[in-house]
Amino acid sequence: MTSRPRKVPPPPERAGRLVVQTLVRAGEPPDPRVDAVELRLDLYPGIDVARAIAESAKPVIATVRRKIDGGAFAGSETERAVLLSRAAGAAYLDIEVDAPDGYGPAGPRRIVSAHDKDGVPADLDGLFQRCLERGADLVKIAVTPRDATEAFRVLALPMSAIAMGRFGEFTRALAPLTYCASQAIAPGLPSPAVLFDELHVRRARLGAPLFGVAGDPIDHSKSPAFHNAALARDSSDA
């Protein structure tokens, strides 16, 4: 019996953007346009992890998100390690920067992540460096800006960073590694339809000119939909 080759998505620098769909429930079919799916093992107690990975049509990123990071897992680190050990067939494991050394099975590549539900750390560059020093193949930093200025600080990092909440929603269309889900299970998390059809996440290259509108209130604005439609019509790289 031969083992199936591990499905690995292309890195962001080749894919333009690496788009990951977080599966809200076990067995949920992903949008065909995404590059990979995230199995949030904290969301589906009792799932056969190895089978779910083997049967996935997309490369799998496996993680067990703790409550302190916005997830549902409230057990011990030992229990979390046991659950994550079942994901040896995943393309990537998403492991927090403060997780114990040697965490998770060998084989999958590592996304080293940091989450802040309450704000933006003052030393973002230092946090990014700590993630790299933990052996990251990819870095993911998810923070919560209190205004648009803080959101732009996040986008200035050299690798993927996402701003959560109402001030950070636009970063979801610009980050090299970005996420979507069929339900908004994290603040500002878009659906695949919004990300692909309204924000045109695939169209503009990384570093393309960015245009926006400002106002208060602004959440009701339909500008992203009709401006992006016009840019797409004109084949504008923006």
Side-chain angles (χ1 to χ4, degrees):
M1 178 178 177
T2 58
S3 60
R4 295 175 62 188
R6 191 187 303 272
K7 297 188 287 290
V8 178
E13 62 269 20
R14 290 213 304 269
R17 287 184 179 85
L18 182 59
V19 182
V20 179
Q21 181 174 344
T22 298
L23 300 184
V24 176
R25 60 189 181 278
E28 177 183 9
D31 188 288
R33 295 171 290 185
V34 302
D35 300 298
V37 295
E38 181 185 50
L39 283 184
R40 281 271 307 275
L41 303 182
D42 53 301
L43 296 181
Y44 348 103
I47 184 178
D48 185 334
V49 179
R51 181 175 179 179
I53 292 172
E55 294 181 351
S56 175
K58 298 284 185 177
V60 171
I61 297 169
T63 191
V64 185
R65 186 73 68 232
R66 303 172 297 188
K67 281 194 171 183
I68 60 171
D69 298 313
F73 187 79
S76 69
E77 282 298 280
T78 300
E79 293 169 323
R80 196 163 76 110
V82 170
L83 185 55
L84 199 60
S85 71
R86 299 170 185 161
Y92 284 91
L93 300 181
D94 184 337
I95 297 175
E96 295 80 4
V97 66
D98 61 348
D101 290 335
Y103 205 66
R109 299 177 185 182
R110 292 296 193 265
I111 297 174
V112 177
S113 62
H115 302 81
D116 191 328
K117 299 184 296 178
D118 301 316
V120 178
D123 187 12
L124 277 177
D125 290 331
L127 179 57
F128 175 78
Q129 185 62 33
R130 290 196 297 277
C131 290
L132 286 179
E133 291 170 355
R134 290 299 307 272
D137 295 290
L138 293 175
V139 172
K140 183 184 79 175
I141 295 175
V143 296
T144 309
R146 287 153 290 205
D147 56 39
T149 302
E150 285 194 330
F152 279 105
R153 282 184 58 214
V154 174
L155 285 177
L157 288 172
M159 199 177 288
S160 187
I162 298 166
M164 300 183 288
R166 63 188 297 263
F167 290 109
E169 289 181 11
F170 74 95
T171 67
R172 302 280 187 171
L174 302 173
L177 171 63
T178 194
Y179 287 72
C180 58
S182 59
Q183 300 175 30
I185 57 174
L189 186 66
S191 68
V194 167
L195 202 58
F196 288 104
D197 300 331
E198 182 175 314
L199 300 179
H200 295 252
V201 69
R202 289 288 192 217
R203 184 174 51 77
R205 61 180 169 82
L206 295 176
L210 173 65
F211 298 90
V213 295
D216 186 12
I218 196 65
D219 289 344
H220 65 284
S221 174
K222 303 301 181 186
S223 293
F226 65 74
H227 284 157
N228 276 309
L231 291 168
R233 178 200 63 199
D234 296 338
S235 300
S236 297
D237 184 20

